[in-house]
Amino acid sequence: TSKEGQGDFRWCFTKILEIVGLQEALPIDEKPVRKSPSPPPKKAKVEPEPKKAKVEPEPSKAKVEPETQPPNFTLPLHDATIDEGSRFTFECRVTGIPMPEICWLKDNLSIDSNLDYHTKVEDGLCSLTIEETFTEDSACFTCRATNLLGYAETTALLTVRENEREAPPQFLQLLSPVSGVEGSPCRLECRVEGIPLPTVQWYRDGECVDSAPGYTTTYNNGVAVLSVEQMGIHNQGLYSCRATNRLGTETTSASVTVQRLISEKAPEFVVPLSNVMARAGQKIRLECELCGVPEPQLDWVHNGKPFTESRDIKVQKEGGKLVLTISEAFPKDAGTYSLTATNSAGSTTSSCTVAVKGRLPTETSDSELASDLEPSKPSIPTTLRDATVSEGGKARLDCIIVGQPEPEVIWYHEGVPIKESKEVQLLFQGDRCSLIIAETLPEDAGQYKVVAINSAGEASSSCQLFVQRTEMQPEQTPEITGTKPLFISLLTDALATEGDSTSLECAVRGDPTPSVSWFLNNNPVVASDRLKMDQEAGGLCTLVISPVLADDRGVYTARATNPLGEAKCFAHLIVRSAANLAAVPSAPDVRLEERATVPAFTELFADRTVVEGGSTKFECIVTGKPTPKVRWLYNSEPVSGKDFLVSVSGSRQVLTIPVVSKVLAGGQITCVAENDAGKASCNATITVSDAPPVDDLLSSIDHLNLSETSVFELKREVFMQSSSHTQFGAGEPVVQVHGMASRTEQ
């Protein structure tokens, strides 16, 4: 312990640090202990011994193994959460040379003297054990390791949960009654506790509404909420929240009251009053439809003066209508009637005119009985329709009017009443009312309106009449007379052997004489030494192929054209190779061809026009072996339902349409016949027209001045055109398509 001994120790320790290279990392006071009382200062500065270690060669320095290490935690502490009363151990691993000293801290306070905490260090593994934890043990625990080179720490948080005791559900906040108006939101809320946390269910009048539409439920941290975005009367009732866990069930209830929302609405006439016209003694009926909230107050006025009900004047409600009835009309009852409806939201008025005419001289006691019938407002079940006519043509506007008593009818053109004249005729036939213009002029175009009025009200209908001007063209194309091409003899299918000759023949007529061109598979056939085409003056057309090649097979088309139109017919040529013909005897083939025949239509049906609401039939006769299977199609879809009736009588096939509607207009009716030998079909188009008025059909007869000996003639013209289309290939079924159009005049 002498100063000289201390100097030797310090010199040795400094020497060791220089050897291991740690002198700079850990500064040491290099002031030596002077053995002489007063050593020269300069000699101390040039002392060679301490500095020799710094200039030693690098290889010798790398070979020295370090003998000290600062503390380092290779396994730190980790946070932990445990239940109260359980045993717990913190563990960490530390390294360092020399081995560090370990100190445990709780919230930065040493616990080395605390008997509740047991610490242990073994081979660098440090542990802190708590045999029985309490909530007071919740804290930040730190393990600090210290040696000569420094210290290191690792810290973790220990959380000790307090043990919860099971408890049944208990509502800390009960439901409270709710009252609101329709459309407003509603919220019911309560708070419940229990261990374990209870589950909740919501009920309205004893019925669970958790999944009911219009309700939203939430349950978070013991707060249960039931919400309704917009309340209605149906949401009213007693609501309950039921909380349940394994220890029991608890319920809280409250009522929800919904008040009806009455939104004010100003009065409005849905159907206003309408003008009436009555004969003296007839019953007058004024009616209208009115709405408003609250219910409006009604005030009737006649010619500006208020009036009330009396023996002859009654006001009553009939369903949703408001009706004023005058039991017997007199001239004093004529004038303007007004009804004013008023409520807190506003008021509105509707007016009408009542005309009372004198009794007709021709009226008798029988007609007086009609006044006892309840009057009904005129109606127009069949309204006017827009019409288009050519200048100089005849125009006719029709409608049907009903009412009691029989309404008076007034016609208007552009708002001006129309009077009957030589040019304009007004007809009344039963309930049908007609306006006829014998010869229309451009000024007759415009809006036409018919008004029907009686003692119960009035009704009207409008339409537009369009008059097309006829303008003469300065240069008119001369009309071509004659007839369109028509094949009087059609092409027939042919079977030829490769190397043989074959011909296809057809006959056509038309005026002017049609020119005939030939096509193979829609490609023009060019005449050559092998392909020869001929057309005779009588209309016979021939295509000769010699010799026949394999490429000649396919569908041949003969097309006849002239300025009035064109016509086509088709045939299929099958070419057999000579090798196949030599291998298979021909006689059996011929017999097989004769056994099976392609379906053929020996009687066709044609396009037709049918009046809407009428009925029609499509009939045809089909032959073929074996007996063809027949299907009817409408627009390529199988017919079905009550709109189509299919029947068979021998080889005659019948499709009946009991009631023709506009939906069928322009549709295509097809009959398809099919057997093993091939298939054939027949097509026609159905046109649906409006039912013409009887007066249109017979108007010309009405204006004929016929005597008993007079004779008149109805003429009908008949025109018919038909075509067929046959297709088949080697080994494929035969297909035939037939069509026919007709026009009749007698």
Side-chain angles (χ1 to χ4, degrees):
T1 60
S2 65
K3 292 183 178 179
E4 296 178 351
Q6 291 178 354
D8 295 337
F9 173 79
R10 183 178 295 275
W11 183 87
C12 294
F13 187 74
T14 302
K15 204 72 173 173
I16 295 172
L17 292 180
E18 288 178 350
I19 294 173
V20 299
L22 295 177
Q23 185 177 12
E24 294 181 0
L26 190 63
I28 302 296
D29 188 4
E30 295 181 358
K31 185 177 180 181
V33 178
R34 293 189 293 270
K35 295 182 180 181
S36 61
S38 56
K42 293 182 179 180
K43 289 184 179 181
K45 291 183 181 178
V46 296
E47 183 70 27
E49 292 299 326
K51 295 183 179 180
K52 285 183 179 180
K54 293 183 180 180
V55 295
E56 287 182 1
E58 289 296 329
S60 62
K61 185 177 181 180
K63 294 179 181 179
V64 178
E65 292 294 333
E67 297 182 1
T68 61
Q69 234 178 26
N72 179 40
F73 284 97
T74 58
L75 177 65
L77 297 177
H78 294 283
D79 295 344
T81 301
I82 60 175
D83 292 327
E84 185 179 17
S86 59
R87 184 178 184 274
F88 179 73
T89 299
F90 269 126
E91 288 186 345
C92 60
R93 185 176 293 279
V94 67
T95 61
I97 299 175
M99 176 59 66
E101 293 184 2
I102 303 300
C103 176
W104 287 88
L105 307 175
K106 175 184 177 184
D107 289 338
N108 294 324
L109 297 178
S110 175
I111 58 173
D112 290 341
S113 60
N114 193 329
L115 299 180
D116 295 330
Y117 302 104
H118 305 286
T119 60
K120 182 179 179 182
V121 179
E122 185 175 348
D123 296 333
L125 181 63
C126 309
S127 62
L128 168 65
T129 302
I130 308 173
E131 294 295 335
E132 183 179 5
T133 56
F134 297 92
T135 55
E136 293 81 0
D137 295 320
S138 297
C140 284
F141 286 83
T142 302
C143 181
R144 178 179 297 170
T146 307
N147 68 6
L148 293 175
L149 299 183
Y151 73 92
E153 293 181 347
T154 177
T155 302
L157 176 65
L158 176 63
T159 303
V160 180
R161 290 185 301 234
E162 184 179 2
N163 287 336
E164 296 180 345
R165 297 181 180 179
E166 290 189 349
Q170 180 181 0
F171 282 97
L172 304 180
Q173 177 186 336
L174 302 178
L175 292 177
S176 299
V178 175
S179 179
V181 296
E182 283 184 292
S184 64
C186 173
R187 178 185 173 93
L188 292 172
E189 181 178 332
C190 60
R191 185 183 299 273
V192 65
E193 67 175 8
I195 302 174
L197 188 67
T199 59
V200 298
Q201 288 181 296
W202 289 91
Y203 295 86
R204 183 181 68 87
D205 295 334
E207 182 177 352
C208 183
V209 295
D210 287 345
S211 302
Y215 293 94
T216 303
T217 60
T218 60
Y219 183 45
N220 295 317
N221 298 324
V223 179
V225 178
L226 173 69
S227 302
V228 181
E229 186 174 351
Q230 290 184 339
M231 287 196 299
I233 297 298
H234 61 281
N235 296 124
Q236 188 168 265
L238 180 65
Y239 285 79
S240 301
C241 180
R242 183 181 299 171
T244 305
N245 67 8
R246 59 174 172 262
L247 297 182
T249 300
E250 188 71 15
T251 302
T252 178
S253 301
S255 61
V256 173
T257 305
V258 182
Q259 299 175 357
R260 290 187 178 274
L261 179 61
I262 302 177
S263 58
E264 292 186 347
K265 181 180 180 182
E268 180 183 0
F269 283 96
V270 180
V271 178
L273 295 172
S274 60
N275 299 332
V276 301
M277 184 171 60
R279 296 286 179 183
Q282 289 182 339
K283 181 184 291 186
I284 294 177
R285 178 185 174 95
L286 304 179
E287 62 180 44
C288 62
E289 291 186 29
L290 180 68
C291 66
V293 179
E295 186 173 351
Q297 178 182 348
L298 306 177
D299 296 305
W300 286 92
V301 176
H302 176 216
N303 292 332
K305 296 181 180 181
F307 69 93
T308 57
E309 292 187 67
S310 64
R311 184 183 64 179
D312 299 325
I313 301 177
K314 300 290 185 183
V315 178
Q316 55 188 357
K317 288 186 178 180
E318 296 180 1
K321 296 181 179 180
L322 188 64
V323 180
L324 182 146
T325 305
I326 301 175
S327 60
E328 189 174 0
F330 292 97
K332 66 179 180 65
D333 296 318
T336 302
Y337 286 78
S338 300
L339 172 61
T340 300
T342 306
N343 66 8
S344 57
S347 65
T348 185
T349 301
S350 178
S351 302
C352 69
T353 300
V354 175
V356 180
K357 294 186 176 183
R359 193 186 300 267
L360 291 175
T362 56
E363 288 184 348
T364 64
S365 58
D366 293 336
S367 62
E368 292 177 1
L369 293 175
S371 64
D372 295 332
L373 298 176
E374 190 68 26
S376 62
K377 183 179 178 180
S379 64
I380 306 179
T382 302
T383 59
L384 296 176
R385 295 184 179 180
D386 294 344
T388 302
V389 296
S390 299
E391 184 179 357
K394 177 182 176 181
R396 182 181 181 121
L397 304 177
D398 293 286
C399 64
I400 294 178
I401 300 175
V402 295
Q404 176 62 38
E406 184 177 339
E408 293 197 23
V409 178
I410 306 172
W411 287 87
Y412 296 87
H413 177 218
E414 297 294 347
V416 179
I418 299 175
K419 294 183 179 180
E420 193 168 11
S421 62
K422 293 181 180 180
E423 294 80 15
V424 180
Q425 184 181 7
L426 305 179
L427 297 180
F428 300 93
Q429 299 172 333
D431 294 334
R432 181 181 292 276
C433 301
S434 305
L435 182 146
I436 300 174
I437 304 175
E439 185 177 352
T440 56
L441 300 175
E443 54 265 28
D444 293 324
Q447 184 187 56
Y448 284 79
K449 181 179 180 181
V450 61
V451 177
I453 185 170
N454 66 4
S455 60
E458 69 177 6
S460 63
S461 176
S462 302
C463 71
Q464 290 286 339
L465 176 63
F466 302 95
V467 179
Q468 295 179 342
R469 293 179 178 271
T470 56
E471 298 180 359
M472 297 297 295
Q473 299 293 334
E475 294 184 3
Q476 295 184 351
T477 303
E479 183 178 357
I480 301 176
T481 59
T483 59
K484 296 180 180 180
L486 174 64
F487 282 97
I488 56 178
S489 176
L490 303 176
L491 293 174
T492 58
D493 300 330
L495 179 66
T497 304
E498 190 174 359
D500 291 347
S501 299
T502 188
S503 63
L504 301 175
E505 294 182 351
C506 61
V508 65
R509 69 182 180 188
D511 185 18
T513 302
S515 62
V516 177
S517 53
W518 293 84
F519 298 83
L520 170 58
N521 297 329
N522 294 325
N523 297 316
V525 176
V526 181
S528 64
D529 293 339
R530 194 176 64 85
L531 301 173
K532 297 180 180 180
M533 292 171 279
D534 184 34
Q535 182 175 353
E536 299 180 1
L540 180 64
C541 303
T542 307
L543 172 63
V544 179
I545 306 174
S546 179
V548 176
L549 303 179
D551 293 338
D552 294 327
R553 65 167 61 92
V555 178
Y556 284 80
T557 304
R559 183 173 69 181
T561 59
N562 69 6
L564 296 177
E566 72 174 22
K568 295 180 182 179
C569 63
F570 310 85
H572 200 104
L573 175 63
I574 297 177
V575 179
R576 289 186 173 182
S577 65
N580 292 339
L581 186 64
V584 181
S586 60
D589 289 343
V590 174
R591 288 195 295 270
L592 182 60
E593 293 281 350
E594 293 177 348
R595 289 197 193 102
T597 59
V598 179
F601 286 88
T602 58
E603 180 180 322
L604 304 174
F605 51 80
D607 298 342
R608 65 188 60 189
T609 300
V610 186
V611 175
E612 183 181 8
S615 63
T616 187
K617 290 184 178 181
F618 292 87
E619 299 185 29
C620 59
I621 296 178
V622 184
T623 61
K625 291 184 181 180
T627 302
K629 179 181 178 181
V630 176
R631 295 179 292 122
W632 289 91
L633 309 176
Y634 173 73
N635 288 341
S636 302
E637 296 292 335
V639 299
S640 61
K642 62 181 180 180
D643 296 334
F644 301 94
L645 303 177
V646 178
S647 59
V648 180
S649 178
S651 59
R652 179 177 294 276
Q653 310 290 329
V654 181
L655 174 66
T656 303
I657 305 178
V659 179
V660 178
S661 62
K662 280 287 188 181
V663 179
L664 302 178
Q668 188 177 58
I669 302 296
T670 305
C671 181
V672 179
E674 187 174 6
N675 64 8
D676 295 338
K679 180 170 69 173
S681 64
C682 180
N683 304 317
T685 302
I686 181 170
T687 304
V688 182
S689 64
D690 295 330
V694 177
D695 299 314
D696 279 353
L697 300 177
L698 301 179
S699 58
S700 59
I701 301 177
D702 293 341
H703 292 83
L704 290 177
N705 296 321
L706 302 176
S707 63
E708 293 182 359
T709 59
S710 298
V711 177
F712 67 94
E713 180 182 21
L714 295 177
K715 185 179 180 182
R716 185 172 68 180
E717 180 184 13
V718 178
F719 169 79
M720 181 175 293
Q721 179 175 338
S722 64
S723 64
S724 67
H725 180 190
T726 306
Q727 293 182 343
F728 60 91
E732 297 181 357
V734 180
V735 178
Q736 293 185 345
V737 179
H738 302 272
M740 187 176 85
S742 66
R743 187 179 70 212
T744 304
E745 179 184 77
Q746 289 186 350

